Amino acid sequence: MSKMAVKVLTAVIMIAVAVPVLYLGGIWMEILMAFIAGGAAYEAARLGNEKVPVIPMVLNFIAIVMLYKAPATHFAAVAAFWAVILFTISLIDEKFTTDSVVYNFMITLLAGMALRCLTLLYHQPAEGWKYFLFVGLACFGCDTGAYFFGVFLGKHKMIPRVSPNKTWEGSIGGYATGAIVSFVYSLFVLKDVLPVSLLAAASLLLPLVAQIGDLSFSSIKRRFGIKDFSNLFPGHGGVLDRVDSVIFCLMVFNALMIIWRLA
């Protein structure tokens, strides 16, 4: 089977599993979030390591769950306690470097905050999947558009030191695709539950944020000399490879809803 066929088949399976879960919510959503937390914990722990350190991986998972579940008033305390634990490990184990502290803390913090934001979307007046689909269209519409515009029109490299294959043509085309697709969707599905001004602002901002998220995680992979965070999804890499842009977009969309005083 060709690499493209494997990639397409994997994508179909991921969509077939994720869509029903996102629609049903409830316990199924909790299981999906636990899977994401576990994948992020594993992939953060294995950065720069030939063998995955079991204790940091388990602690990463616990930290993500705690950062996700902690009441808002306790969130800073949990994050601070987690930072102390990581630095303590680095003092005891010389193989657990300062890089390990920083990247494990950053990835677990981002994962925990993204899961909190996803939960908040499911507590909004309309069905949660409608909100997430809006964010997803802005992210994955941008990603898909960037791929096709980059393949057919891409000539000028964007940031070669971070991602050698990305071009300005792909970036602009992806941004336009994500913005248009998400805004058109929102006018049909969300305009009765969210202000059009918020929807417009989010449609314009999220595709940009998606690219920042993608490039940010690419810079981490470049730092450690790896192509993917893991091989969990054949042809697609790991959990973090799939959710990098969504993590950023969930947080920014939640921030926009706070600004509009809807969250």
Side-chain angles (χ1 to χ4, degrees):
M1 187 179 293
S2 68
K3 290 183 178 180
M4 181 56 70
V6 170
K7 190 170 185 175
V8 171
L9 179 60
T10 303
V12 170
I13 294 173
M14 286 192 293
I15 292 171
V17 172
V19 169
V21 170
L22 292 169
Y23 175 76
L24 293 171
I27 184 63
W28 300 106
M29 178 62 72
E30 292 290 339
I31 293 173
L32 176 61
M33 290 194 286
F35 173 78
I36 293 172
Y42 164 74
E43 290 166 11
R46 75 190 292 266
L47 280 174
N49 294 288
E50 294 181 2
K51 295 182 179 180
V52 180
V54 176
I55 293 178
M57 180 179 67
V58 172
L59 291 176
N60 281 348
F61 180 76
I62 294 172
I64 292 173
V65 173
M66 292 296 292
L67 290 165
Y68 161 46
K69 291 290 189 179
T73 53
H74 292 52
F75 183 83
V78 172
F81 190 60
W82 175 225
V84 171
I85 290 175
L86 287 172
F87 275 109
T88 301
I89 295 174
S90 72
L91 294 174
I92 297 172
D93 184 0
E94 62 179 346
K95 293 182 180 179
F96 197 77
T97 65
T98 303
D99 273 3
S100 299
V101 172
V102 172
Y103 286 109
N104 277 270
F105 180 76
M106 181 184 67
I107 290 174
T108 53
L109 186 67
L110 288 173
M113 289 191 295
L115 293 178
R116 292 175 74 93
C117 292
L118 181 59
T119 301
L120 287 173
L121 292 187
Y122 274 78
H123 290 162
Q124 298 303 313
E127 294 94 333
W129 66 269
K130 294 180 179 179
Y131 292 91
F132 181 79
L133 183 54
F134 171 70
V135 175
L137 286 172
C139 288
F140 298 120
C142 178
D143 185 51
T144 303
Y147 174 78
F148 283 103
F149 277 94
V151 168
F152 293 107
L153 299 175
K155 293 182 179 179
H156 301 88
K157 298 296 183 181
M158 192 176 178
I159 311 178
R161 64 181 175 81
V162 173
S163 187
N165 296 324
K166 285 184 171 57
T167 63
W168 283 108
E169 291 83 0
S171 175
I172 295 169
Y175 173 82
T177 303
I180 293 170
V181 170
S182 60
F183 187 62
V184 170
Y185 163 83
S186 71
L187 291 180
F188 283 97
V189 179
L190 295 175
K191 67 179 178 66
D192 292 331
V193 291
L194 292 176
V196 174
S197 58
L198 168 60
L199 298 173
S203 296
L204 290 172
L205 186 57
L206 293 184
L208 175 61
V209 172
Q211 295 191 49
I212 293 173
D214 181 43
L215 288 168
S216 297
F217 276 79
S218 291
S219 70
I220 296 174
K221 290 185 285 187
R222 180 69 57 179
R223 166 68 181 81
F224 288 96
I226 57 176
K227 182 179 181 295
D228 298 311
F229 283 101
S230 73
N231 299 312
L232 186 60
F233 304 117
H236 290 265
V239 169
L240 293 174
D241 295 288
R242 290 299 85 213
V243 303
D244 50 8
S245 58
V246 180
I247 286 175
F248 278 56
C249 286
L250 283 170
M251 295 188 295
V252 170
F253 185 60
N254 183 65
L256 290 174
M257 293 186 70
I258 291 173
I259 293 171
W260 262 260
R261 297 185 179 180
L262 295 171

